[in-house]
């Protein structure tokens, strides 16, 4: 039987598609709280990868990754329920707006330090979100309600 060998690109493409399918399956089964966690994780990963592309001089890849990060941050922002979330939702909205603007600035200025700043901000938000996970000790979603 004849085997098929895949070059470096083929292996990467296969891995990307596999990861995409795995993520799609996880999203389909995720609670609203977990969906927000996945958006945060995805945004952080793309910001970090965007920094790597920026440092490697891969301009097109940098733009693609930062663009995806901006899209995820925008998704987080529009998912906020301002009626039920009150000040917490307003504050998160302002943080997401800042993160999106900072990502645009980082891309335009080709400044990896700005990407590090945004990644740190998103990690802080993700840690706070994880602390209010349903079933977390003392954590209640309450005012931080987000519609999926």
């Amino acid at each position: 039987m004849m085997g098929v060998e895949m070059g470096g690109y083929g292996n990467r493409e296969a891995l990307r598609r596999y990861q995409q399918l795995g993520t799609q399956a996880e999203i389909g089964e995720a609670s609203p709280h977990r969906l927000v966690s996945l958006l945060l994780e995805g945004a952080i990963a793309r910001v970090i990868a965007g920094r790597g592309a920026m440092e490697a001089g891969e301009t097109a890849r940098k733009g693609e990754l930062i663009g995806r990060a901006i899209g995820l941050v925008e998704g987080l922002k529009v998912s906020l329920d301002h009626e039920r979330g009150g000040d917490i939702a307003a504050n998160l909205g302002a943080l997401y707006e800042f993160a999106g603007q900072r990502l645009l600035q980082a891309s335009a200025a080709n400044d990896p330090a700005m990407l590090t700043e945004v990644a740190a901000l998103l990690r802080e938000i993700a840690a706070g979100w994880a602390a209010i996970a349903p079933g977390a000790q003392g954590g209640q979603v309450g005012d931080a309600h987000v519609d999926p």
Side-chain angles (χ1 to χ4, degrees):
M1 188 179 329
M2 196 173 191
V4 177
E5 291 187 31
M6 294 169 50
Y9 175 77
N11 288 336
R12 285 193 303 267
E13 181 63 18
L15 178 60
R16 184 189 66 77
R17 288 178 187 234
Y18 174 78
Q19 290 171 331
Q20 212 171 24
L21 289 173
T23 301
Q24 289 171 353
E26 186 174 2
I27 288 170
E29 300 170 5
S31 69
H33 191 276
R34 180 66 183 137
L35 288 173
V36 171
S37 294
L38 289 170
L39 286 171
L40 285 164
E41 291 168 14
I44 293 165
R46 281 157 185 83
V47 170
I48 292 167
R51 180 184 169 138
M54 181 182 286
E55 291 172 338
E58 299 172 355
T59 305
R61 182 82 174 131
K62 172 199 79 170
E64 176 186 340
L65 290 162
I66 292 174
R68 287 183 182 179
I70 291 169
L72 291 168
V73 169
E74 186 62 26
L76 287 160
K77 185 176 148 191
V78 300
S79 71
L80 293 169
D81 183 337
H82 290 277
E83 283 185 34
R84 292 173 58 190
D87 288 342
I88 293 174
N91 291 338
L92 282 171
L95 288 172
Y96 293 145
E97 180 68 26
F98 172 78
Q101 290 300 315
R102 201 66 170 158
L103 287 168
L104 285 171
Q105 293 169 350
S107 185
N110 216 39
D111 187 341
M114 289 183 194
L115 294 179
T116 300
E117 175 187 4
V118 173
L121 172 64
L122 294 174
R123 282 186 186 114
E124 191 171 333
I125 294 169
W129 187 250
I132 62 167
Q137 184 178 356
Q140 294 185 15
V141 175
D143 288 338
H145 179 80
V146 176
D147 284 332

